[in-house]
Amino acid sequence: MAAKSNDPNPPSGWWYNTRTGEVEHGELSRAIDLMGPYPDEATARNALEIARERTRRADRREAEWEGEDVDEP
């Protein structure tokens, strides 16, 4: 993990670090490596699955918008 920021008002919450696969409390690493914030550690640990599900829903809505037949998973 990177050294703690000198920001006097660091963001709170839990973050998932895509580079290390670790969960962090507070924004400790480079922003480009982080997903979040999430309200708690358990939710942050599920960040990748949350992102996958959001992508599936967005893809389904886009297909419906374009008039394609959409099979429910």
Side-chain angles (χ1 to χ4, degrees), residues 2 14-16 21 28 33 46-47 51-52 54 59 66 69 71:
W14 293 85
W15 303 79
Y16 180 80
L28 303 176
D33 295 327
N46 289 317
R52 281 186 204 102
R54 288 177 180 168
D59 289 348
E66 293 176 357
D69 287 333
D71 294 329

Side-chain angles (χ1 to χ4, degrees), residues 8-73:
N9 298 306
S12 60
W14 293 85
W15 303 79
Y16 180 80
N17 187 313
T18 59
R19 186 176 52 80
T20 66
E22 299 294 322
V23 171
E24 302 177 7
H25 188 256
E27 191 173 354
L28 303 176
S29 297
R30 299 177 329 151
I32 196 166
D33 295 327
L34 299 177
M35 294 174 70
Y38 296 96
D40 53 55
E41 183 178 5
T43 305
R45 289 200 184 284
N46 289 317
L48 295 179
E49 184 53 38
I50 291 168
R52 281 186 204 102
E53 180 55 31
R54 288 177 180 168
T55 299
R56 282 191 287 268
R57 284 190 306 223
D59 289 348
R60 191 168 36 250
R61 283 193 302 268
E62 181 178 358
E64 289 169 353
W65 174 260
E66 293 176 357
E68 298 174 13
D69 287 333
V70 178
D71 294 329
E72 292 298 318

